[in-house]
Amino acid sequence: MEDGNGQFPLHIQTGDGEFIVKEEEDLSSPTSPDYYTSPDGSFDRGVRLKRRRRCGQCGPCQVKENCNKCHFCVRRDVLKQTCMYRKCVYLRSKPKPYSRPKETPLASSAASVLSPNSQEGHSNITSPTASGPSRFLDGPSPPNRSDVAKPIMPPKLSDHFPYPHGQGFPSFEPIIRPQGPCSAPPAPGHTPHRIPTTSPAIPASVIGQHAMVPGLVDQSSLSHNHQIVMPPPPPTLNDFNERTFSEFRSQHMLGMSHNQVHSTPHPFGIKDPPELSDVHFPPYGRPDSQRTPTGPSSCVYPHGIAPSMAAVGFNSSVDSSSVLGSLDRQTRAFFPTHNTDMFRHFPPLPPGYAYPSGRYGQNFTSPHYPRFGSMGMPPPPPPPPPNLGLKPQGGHTQPWGFTPTYSSCEQSNGCPKNGCCPPVSKNLGSEAQVMQEIYGNVLNSRVPYPIPSPIGIDCSPSQRRPGSAMSDDSGRMSMASSDFESDVISIDDCQMNALIRSDGSNSLQIEIGSSGIRTKHDSPVRKGKSKFTMDSILAPSLQNLTSPHDECEIVEDIMVNRKCTINGTVYVKQDLGDSGVVQLEIPGNKVTLEDSYLDDKLAGYSSNLGELLEFIRKEPQIEFLRNN
DNA sequence: TGCAACGTTACT
DNA sequence: AGTAACGTTGCA
Ligand SMILES: [Zn+2]
Ligand SMILES: [Zn+2]
């Protein structure tokens, strides 16, 4: 039986489920028990106020049944400990005696209503999204997953992420691997290690969508050193990892071949492939029970694999399947070549979650507890039964031992009653922020990410140089935004100057200078308002190739100094090698080509020039329009 | 330091 | 009263 309730949180049963009303403020740190405090603020040492109770919100708390296999379960009678897989995240921290001034319980009277603790009959594990949260009031809003049963929640709170920071979702580092089944986190006791990963390309449209989400993110945690240890990211971060990535795939990376969602390790005996044991990439809010135990997954990219922009297609059709002839050569574009990883903005959480110190600080120890997925899903199967070589590390720790890495206690919104609050980082609160940070930076020159560019343009950091300010055509100069950069880019080895602009959301404009690709004709812009079609553009340079038609000469000179935009959609396919293909879809009107054309050399890289030309020739909507 | 043991508290 | 399990203690 679980510890019951005191005054707070209040459990209210309604037709819609159980609602929990908690005091708004954390009354005690997650790591300290409640002790009476003298009026003067001093502690009455030794006077224990009350023992902490499980938060009921974290992942482990969602697990309603004992695994009966873990160490504690097996020896329950003697050890009298809760199941390893059910051990509340907040209780994993060792009580911090006398370390904190006792606050007045009613100091903050605000109360938050937690979402109903809906229990899915068929599952022992309640979907995190279904359970509530709470005090994450100023935190990020949990992404709403329409595909996840959503409990009826108070409107006001429904859009807040149900899980306070660290709510059992100590984030783990999403490890991206090329193929193969996704694995479960390693069994407790494994040595945590990080696997460098690369980031997938981000469709411009996606960038826009997510970048727009309001919120702020700890910049430092995202932009630079990914080794940074951060406080446990709010669930939303994980959500971001998982959800966005999968969404990207499903919504924008049509060409990707590895789309399976990671399966979540199941605590009750289902073991994940050992080789991927350190990978945990569960879908947001999906109850463990609803996942495929060992499905293939691939949400990951192998380290070292630099995805490359491999193909470019112009297609006005909605049917994205009609990818055209492409410039197939792999170039390094779009993805960071170093260990940057948009999905690695979160600290690597050791097999047992690495909770930042501070909040969970020194007292937060629990080296051998299984780690949970972002959604608090139970980790992999219980470790080998009792006492089988679980060699925890760390000092006076509990079996769930983490490496405390929290840095601050200030983030205390979200404390479960009696004490430990899941750390909630205000700075990390919003996934939007993450998105913004990530995407914004991807498109910005402030971060060492190669700028993704259509047309298989490789824009390596080394070639980049800052450009002057320039607003995009929409006039937006938002934060992520309107950044403009002048770079020497290359399209399949053809270097050229280019101006790359992005409004940070959904506009990516690339203006290719005249010094590179243009080879033969450098005549002045021809006046007139003619429309240029790809045919025209390609013709001149392709005439020596097997161009299907021969109206080439016609436009030999109209390419020069023309600034064109493309009608329709530009598809840029990037072959990630074993990881599949990423396709970037960019509205043609956001792509500008200036003073450039596909010449022999460039065309020579097309894997299927004939198809490309044919498409261009037949597709009436694919055309270059003179911009000026 | 790691962990088993168990007193004690919280709750049903 | 019974159950669950938190927190402390003490041993290796
Ligand atoms: Zn167990
Ligand atoms: Zn909990």
Side-chain angles (χ1 to χ4, degrees):
Chain A
M1 205 177 278
E2 300 180 10
D3 289 3
N5 306 317
Q7 295 183 331
F8 274 104
L10 296 176
H11 289 255
I12 302 172
Q13 287 292 344
T14 69
D16 294 334
E18 179 184 38
F19 288 77
I20 301 172
V21 179
K22 288 189 175 185
E23 292 171 89
E24 186 58 23
E25 292 295 313
D26 179 10
L27 299 180
S28 61
S29 77
T31 58
S32 63
D34 295 297
Y35 289 90
Y36 290 112
T37 300
S38 302
D40 64 347
S42 64
F43 305 108
D44 285 334
R45 296 198 172 200
V47 181
R48 184 175 303 146
L49 181 55
K50 56 187 173 182
R51 73 168 56 176
R52 299 174 302 167
R53 291 175 303 184
R54 59 189 321 168
C55 72
Q57 298 169 35
C58 70
C61 282
Q62 306 306 309
V63 178
K64 304 304 178 187
E65 293 184 3
N66 295 317
C67 72
N68 292 318
K69 293 179 180 179
C70 75
H71 175 58
F72 296 135
C73 283
V74 173
R75 303 193 64 203
R76 175 168 296 116
D77 292 346
V78 179
L79 299 178
K80 293 193 283 189
Q81 296 295 307
T82 189
C83 172
M84 180 179 287
Y85 294 96
R86 299 183 58 220
K87 182 69 176 182
C88 177
V89 170
Y90 311 113
L91 292 176
R92 291 178 183 185
S93 62
K94 194 178 178 182
K96 191 165 53 181
Y98 327 126
S99 62
R100 178 187 54 81
K102 186 70 185 71
E103 298 175 56
T104 302
L106 298 178
S108 65
S109 56
S112 61
V113 179
L114 301 185
S115 60
N117 252 334
S118 67
Q119 215 47 359
E120 317 216 313
H122 63 286
S123 173
N124 293 326
I125 302 165
T126 303
S127 170
T129 52
S131 66
S134 59
R135 312 160 132 260
F136 213 19
L137 298 181
D138 54 353
S141 303
N144 288 324
R145 288 263 306 206
S146 56
D147 59 325
V148 174
K150 224 165 48 170
I152 299 171
M153 325 168 114
K156 178 61 180 163
L157 294 171
S158 62
D159 40 17
H160 284 287
F161 190 80
Y163 298 93
H165 217 157
Q167 283 235 327
F169 316 108
S171 152
F172 45 80
E173 177 172 16
I175 293 171
I176 298 178
R177 304 215 180 187
Q179 297 182 7
C182 282
S183 77
H190 283 200
T191 298
H193 61 280
R194 300 161 55 91
I195 296 178
T197 60
T198 56
S199 308
I202 304 167
S205 59
V206 173
I207 291 170
Q209 294 169 10
H210 293 275
M212 299 294 221
V213 182
L216 296 172
V217 151
D218 180 347
Q219 307 267 323
S220 65
S221 66
L222 295 170
S223 28
H224 310 299
N225 182 355
H226 292 280
Q227 299 289 335
I228 297 171
V229 173
M230 302 162 47
T236 51
L237 294 185
N238 276 325
D239 170 61
F240 160 67
N241 289 346
E242 301 166 10
R243 180 173 62 89
T244 59
F245 190 46
S246 60
E247 284 181 357
F248 286 171
R249 289 181 310 207
S250 63
Q251 299 174 10
H252 311 282
M253 299 180 185
L254 304 178
M256 293 192 69
S257 57
H258 315 297
N259 303 334
Q260 283 75 16
V261 172
H262 262 267
S263 62
T264 301
H266 194 290
F268 305 104
I270 299 172
K271 191 143 195 164
D272 292 282
E275 69 276 14
L276 292 177
S277 64
D278 48 358
V279 175
H280 188 86
F281 215 82
Y284 177 86
R286 186 84 69 79
D288 206 44
S289 61
Q290 297 175 6
R291 301 180 197 174
T292 305
T294 58
S297 63
S298 47
C299 1
V300 248
Y301 293 91
H303 171 42
I305 290 182
S308 59
M309 297 306 280
V312 178
F314 298 88
N315 185 356
S316 61
S317 143
V318 180
D319 176 15
S320 56
S321 65
S322 60
V323 176
L324 324 175
S326 53
L327 297 173
D328 231 13
R329 202 175 125 299
Q330 291 194 2
T331 56
R332 288 187 321 120
F334 225 114
F335 285 63
T337 54
H338 22 178
N339 282 349
T340 56
D341 182 347
M342 72 169 75
F343 294 123
R344 284 222 308 166
H345 298 299
F346 319 112
L349 283 164
Y353 329 7
Y355 269 10
S357 59
R359 182 163 195 65
Y360 281 134
Q362 308 78 6
N363 297 311
F364 196 70
T365 59
S366 53
H368 288 292
Y369 264 77
R371 88 181 148 176
F372 279 56
S374 62
M375 296 320 296
M377 289 302 111
N387 303 324
L388 287 189
L390 289 184
K391 196 57 186 171
Q393 319 159 333
H396 230 86
T397 63
Q398 296 300 321
W400 46 86
F402 298 12
T403 299
T405 47
Y406 262 20
S407 58
S408 167
C409 276
E410 67 171 17
Q411 335 161 316
S412 57
N413 20 352
C415 286
K417 143 190 189 182
N418 293 340
C420 29
C421 324
V424 175
S425 170
K426 293 172 183 176
N427 292 330
L428 296 175
S430 152
E431 81 178 308
Q433 221 171 346
V434 174
M435 298 300 283
Q436 213 164 51
E437 180 69 17
I438 295 171
Y439 298 147
N441 283 327
V442 165
L443 294 177
N444 267 324
S445 57
R446 302 191 180 97
V447 208
Y449 287 104
I451 291 181
S453 47
I455 322 192
I457 295 171
D458 179 319
C459 183
S460 64
S462 62
Q463 298 177 304
R464 307 171 74 204
R465 57 177 184 274
S468 57
M470 178 186 282
S471 62
D472 63 6
D473 45 23
S474 67
R476 277 177 290 185
M477 281 293 258
S478 56
M479 64 169 265
S481 75
S482 299
D483 235 354
F484 141 73
E485 181 170 321
S486 173
D487 291 330
V488 172
I489 64 176
S490 65
I491 296 178
D492 288 290
D493 294 341
C494 295
Q495 293 199 335
M496 65 198 81
N497 292 315
L499 299 183
I500 301 173
R501 285 185 287 172
S502 170
D503 64 357
S505 55
N506 54 18
S507 171
L508 176 64
Q509 182 174 57
I510 298 174
E511 295 181 16
I512 301 172
S514 60
S515 63
I517 238 172
R518 186 178 52 205
T519 56
K520 312 173 188 175
H521 314 285
D522 210 356
S523 57
V525 179
R526 189 167 67 186
K527 304 299 180 184
K529 290 185 177 287
S530 57
K531 252 187 185 177
F532 305 118
T533 64
M534 273 301 262
D535 275 351
S536 317
I537 295 169
L538 294 172
S541 56
L542 299 178
Q543 54 186 319
N544 295 325
L545 300 177
T546 55
S547 178
H549 38 3
D550 38 35
E551 303 113 47
C552 311
E553 305 80 347
I554 301 175
V555 290
E556 284 214 345
D557 64 331
I558 63 176
M559 285 305 303
V560 183
N561 297 325
R562 289 288 193 286
K563 182 175 179 180
C564 306
T565 54
I566 301 169
N567 283 338
T569 301
V570 175
Y571 290 90
V572 180
K573 289 183 69 178
Q574 182 169 13
D575 187 344
L576 303 179
D578 292 340
S579 298
V581 177
V582 171
Q583 182 170 301
L584 173 64
E585 182 179 331
I586 305 169
N589 63 356
K590 294 299 181 181
V591 176
T592 298
L593 295 180
E594 184 173 15
D595 288 348
S596 65
Y597 61 89
L598 187 61
D599 65 359
D600 298 1
K601 183 178 178 181
L602 184 57
Y605 289 122
S606 174
S607 63
N608 193 332
L609 183 58
E611 184 181 356
L612 174 60
L613 293 174
E614 181 63 9
F615 170 84
I616 292 170
R617 189 173 66 77
K618 293 180 177 178
E619 177 53 66
Q621 291 184 297
I622 297 305
E623 57 189 10
F624 283 80
L625 297 174
R626 178 181 297 187
N627 211 21
N628 303 320

